[in-house]
Amino acid sequence: MSSPYRAIFTAPGTKAFSAAGLIGRMPLSMLGIGIVTMISQVTGRYGLAGALAAALALSGAAIGPQISRLVDRYGQRRVLRPASAVTVLSVAALLIAVRAGSPDWVYFVCAVGAGCTPSMGAMVRARWSRIHRGSPELLHTAYSFESVVDEIVFILGPILSIGLCTAWFAEAGPLLAAVFLGTGVLLLTAQHATEPPPHPRDRLSDRSVLREPGLLVVTGVFVGTGALFGAVDVATVAFADERGHKALASLVLATYALGSCLAGLVFGLMTPRGTPTGRFLLGIALMTVSMIPPLLVGNLPFLAVALFFSGLTIAPTMVTAMGLIEGLVPRTKLTEGITWTSTGMAVGVAAGASVAGRVIDSHGASAAFAVPAASAVLAVAVAFLGYRRLMPAPEREGPRDEHDGQYGTHDKQGRTEGVA
């Protein structure tokens, strides 16, 4: 790695919690697509598969911010372990229900329970924010690195999940996702030194951070981008299935994530220019334009190429969004603020997967690529209509953590200088 990436790991414990976050985030790309693949394998019903993925995403959208609010108040260790236990047990129950041929409503109950999955990306980014808050350059690089980790997850996750479901047994993908979650949470919560300290309840604790107008805009944009992602996943699996190569869907989706991964690596080495708001609007606009080519392709190789170039727009936009959130929410509610964007994306994934599944059942996979294109248009419309609200929160800094001094502040070259 070049020097900016080396610099972010100079603080003790950073490599360990980032690695734990990688493991714990694998369900992000494995669980939903694993459920889609499993149900379509067992029942042949893409509509049901998309509806279950939607139920999982909507449940996560409702529960995730509440988990993160509890994390901000009580700490990661006390909250993440019981929350992840509920998810693991729910996934196990779903697999048993599928194997037993239970009624559809049982599947939905289990999918809702699996929505207790904590936002591991938010937990890791909160740790980075605490360590490198003194250096915007290093924090930009750290967020870029975590965006790359996200894309590694989206490269490996579908390959593992779809591949295991199709080559081994139908329930294998969701099962491995649950194992990754439990392992990642245990490894992350075992690391106390880098954990952000909890913030006691005060007069602002009961006020939802979503009431910050700028965060509401970013969350709305993420609803559109989530619908884009969810629709692309379901449409790609069905597109490959129609052409007799369902297992190759994982490789096609991996090219999508690979494009984002490469863009994220390069973006992390760059010094951001202009305002975060301007970069965010540009990223969303480019993401919208990139959804035109998938509408025109007729075979898997061309779809893979089209999605690769679409992926180049993702990571820089997501990194810029994280930088925006740093300035939009109070420090004491950063984890909740980041999670609300994940919630917006989850709502979008639910809508996109569900609509795409119905379009596939009615008109075929090729027609379903109109869903991510329309979702991208929605995202860019929300972004441009609400850009004036992307202003810093008045209580942005919040109280100073009592342990911040052990990490120090960083100058532009990444050197550490202790603070009292």
Side-chain angles (χ1 to χ4, degrees):
M1 293 187 294
S2 58
S3 56
Y5 286 106
R6 287 198 301 269
I8 64 173
F9 287 105
T10 55
T14 50
K15 294 179 181 178
F17 76 67
S18 186
L22 168 61
I23 296 171
R25 262 179 284 185
M26 290 301 293
L28 184 65
S29 65
M30 292 183 65
L31 191 53
I33 196 67
I35 289 174
V36 168
T37 308
M38 174 181 66
I39 295 299
S40 63
Q41 285 276 101
V42 174
T43 69
R45 297 161 60 192
Y46 277 100
L48 174 61
L52 284 172
L56 172 68
L58 287 174
S59 176
I63 299 173
Q66 311 312 318
I67 293 175
S68 292
R69 179 180 292 188
L70 292 173
V71 166
D72 283 332
R73 185 175 297 176
Y74 299 109
Q76 294 184 3
R77 178 185 176 89
R78 293 180 62 185
V79 177
L80 296 187
R81 290 187 176 184
S84 62
V86 172
T87 297
V88 171
L89 291 174
S90 297
V91 172
L94 174 61
L95 303 188
I96 294 172
V98 170
R99 178 65 65 173
S102 301
D104 290 354
W105 68 266
V106 177
Y107 301 162
F108 283 97
V109 170
C110 296
V112 169
C116 287
T117 305
S119 177
M120 294 295 286
M123 306 305 157
V124 173
R125 286 178 172 89
R127 294 188 183 219
W128 281 121
S129 178
R130 180 194 174 199
I131 292 171
H132 292 313
R133 70 174 54 174
S135 171
E137 293 84 0
L138 289 182
L139 190 56
H140 165 78
T141 302
Y143 283 161
S144 296
F145 177 79
E146 290 303 321
S147 179
V148 171
V149 172
D150 284 338
E151 301 312 326
I152 291 173
V153 166
F154 278 98
I155 291 171
L156 297 178
I159 295 174
L160 287 173
S161 194
I162 297 174
L164 289 175
C165 286
T166 56
W168 196 7
F169 58 91
E171 300 88 354
L175 175 61
L176 185 59
V179 172
F180 276 132
L181 176 64
T183 302
V185 167
L186 289 176
L187 290 175
L188 182 69
T189 55
Q191 300 169 46
H192 305 291
T194 56
E195 179 179 352
H199 301 285
R201 186 172 183 173
D202 56 32
R203 63 183 179 86
L204 297 175
S205 295
D206 294 326
R207 182 176 183 267
S208 173
V209 74
L210 192 60
R211 293 176 64 181
E212 302 291 348
L215 181 62
L216 189 61
V217 172
V218 176
T219 302
V221 173
F222 271 59
V223 172
T225 56
L228 186 160
F229 297 151
V232 165
D233 282 352
V234 176
T236 299
V237 173
F239 189 86
D241 192 16
E242 285 182 355
R243 284 148 184 81
H245 301 288
K246 187 175 184 178
L248 293 181
S250 60
L251 297 179
V252 175
L253 290 173
T255 64
Y256 191 32
L258 178 62
S260 182
C261 181
L262 294 176
L265 281 171
V266 174
F267 192 64
L269 299 174
M270 298 169 62
T271 299
R273 296 181 181 275
T275 65
T277 301
R279 294 196 305 272
F280 184 60
L281 294 177
L282 176 61
I284 294 297
L286 291 175
M287 191 180 297
T288 301
V289 173
S290 75
M291 280 293 102
I292 296 175
L295 290 169
L296 308 175
V297 300
N299 57 56
L300 284 174
F302 281 118
L303 178 61
V305 172
L307 290 181
F308 173 81
F309 284 103
S310 297
L312 294 176
T313 66
I314 297 175
T317 306
M318 298 299 106
V319 172
T320 302
M322 293 303 106
L324 271 178
I325 294 166
E326 276 280 309
L328 291 174
V329 303
R331 176 73 62 188
T332 56
K333 295 188 175 184
L334 180 59
T335 307
E336 183 187 351
I338 295 174
T339 303
W340 270 113
T341 63
S342 300
T343 293
M345 187 171 291
V347 171
V349 167
S354 180
V355 173
R358 292 182 180 276
V359 171
I360 291 165
D361 286 342
S362 301
H363 304 288
S366 295
F369 283 104
V371 179
S375 302
V377 171
L378 171 64
V380 78
V382 173
F384 277 87
L385 289 173
Y387 79 97
R388 292 184 182 276
R389 297 188 176 187
L390 301 179
M391 302 294 292
E395 292 135 357
R396 162 67 172 76
E397 292 301 325
R400 181 179 182 272
D401 291 347
E402 60 179 342
H403 301 297
D404 282 347
Q406 65 178 303
Y407 295 113
T409 58
H410 302 267
D411 64 11
K412 291 184 179 181
Q413 288 73 38
R415 293 186 293 267
T416 303
E417 300 175 349
V419 295

